[in-house]
Amino acid sequence: MKTSVTTHKLPGYGATLRTAKRLTEQAVRLVDRSVSGSMPDVEVTLTTERGMADLMAAADIALAGSTDRRTVQRAERRAKDAARDIQAVSIPRPDGTALILINADRHGTPAEFAVTVVHELVHAVQFGRKDVIERIVRDTRDGLGIERQSRRQAREHAHRLDEEEREAYSREYLANHLVPGATA
């Protein structure tokens, strides 16, 4: 399990990057012990809202396996809309690794970052569970208009997504081990 922390289109955030590397290394060990499953190789990227949209669109295109012009445009539109509303996102990659994108501008303190990175690392572990990647790929392909999924499959995906979110929220207390009082 390799972990890397980088920045994307984020100049002048050297201190933030050093803090993120330290907290991420500690969080990986905590989450790996706490959540059932195995931690994949993880790349954490600190970026801005615009950078998140670019990287999310590229990751969705790679996951869907399509380079059609209309698909690329849909992925970019979807990513821009999503990047406005979220602080971070975990995306599985076709090679079995996980990409975690974090909007550095929405994390003013190490405590906020610790809570977010723990939450997203739980999702990274969940990607290794049975049928999760296939379900995410199917939903991504449906969202990009490549291949439709049945209503039953869409309901199942939404239900499983809610369960996975509840599990990730229930593990956020681990951030207290990284930064005391993070979830207070």
Side-chain angles (χ1 to χ4, degrees):
M1 141 184 73
K2 290 187 332 186
T3 306
S4 65
V5 181
T6 60
T7 61
H8 175 74
K9 295 185 178 180
L10 198 64
Y13 278 75
T16 304
L17 180 60
R18 285 188 294 278
T19 302
K21 284 182 180 182
R22 180 179 50 82
L23 290 175
T24 300
E25 288 173 8
Q26 296 170 357
V28 165
R29 287 192 299 271
L30 282 172
V31 171
D32 195 30
R33 285 186 300 214
S34 175
V35 180
S36 65
S38 61
M39 180 73 68
D41 291 345
V42 177
E43 180 184 341
V44 177
T45 303
L46 302 173
T47 187
T48 61
E49 183 178 312
R50 177 179 274 167
M52 277 186 75
D54 294 343
L55 293 173
M56 285 170 59
D60 281 349
I61 291 166
L63 196 61
S66 175
T67 56
D68 178 34
R69 184 177 53 90
R70 288 179 34 194
T71 303
V72 171
Q73 290 172 342
R74 278 191 194 117
E76 290 170 350
R77 268 195 314 275
R78 249 175 60 149
K80 279 183 185 176
D81 291 343
R84 278 189 220 118
D85 301 328
I86 59 175
Q87 295 181 10
V89 65
S90 296
I91 304 169
R93 288 181 166 163
D95 63 359
T97 63
L99 173 66
I100 298 176
L101 303 174
I102 298 178
N103 187 339
D105 295 334
R106 294 197 180 174
H107 295 86
T109 66
E112 292 173 354
F113 178 82
V115 171
T116 300
V117 79
V118 165
H119 182 97
E120 298 304 329
L121 285 170
V122 170
H123 288 311
V125 171
Q126 292 168 345
F127 295 154
R129 294 182 182 160
K130 184 179 179 190
D131 297 333
V132 173
I133 297 292
E134 292 80 12
R135 184 172 42 86
I136 292 171
V137 168
R138 185 176 59 231
D139 187 66
T140 301
R141 290 177 66 83
D142 181 58
L144 296 177
I146 298 169
E147 181 180 350
R148 294 198 41 93
Q149 65 180 337
S150 69
R151 282 188 231 143
R152 179 174 173 245
Q153 290 170 329
R155 279 193 312 270
E156 177 192 353
H157 177 69
H159 177 70
R160 294 268 174 91
L161 209 57
D162 288 342
E163 288 176 351
E164 291 164 355
E165 278 298 321
R166 278 195 297 276
E167 180 183 17
Y169 281 118
S170 74
R171 294 298 196 277
E172 286 183 357
Y173 73 91
L174 294 171
N176 285 331
H177 295 293
L178 304 172
V179 179
T183 57

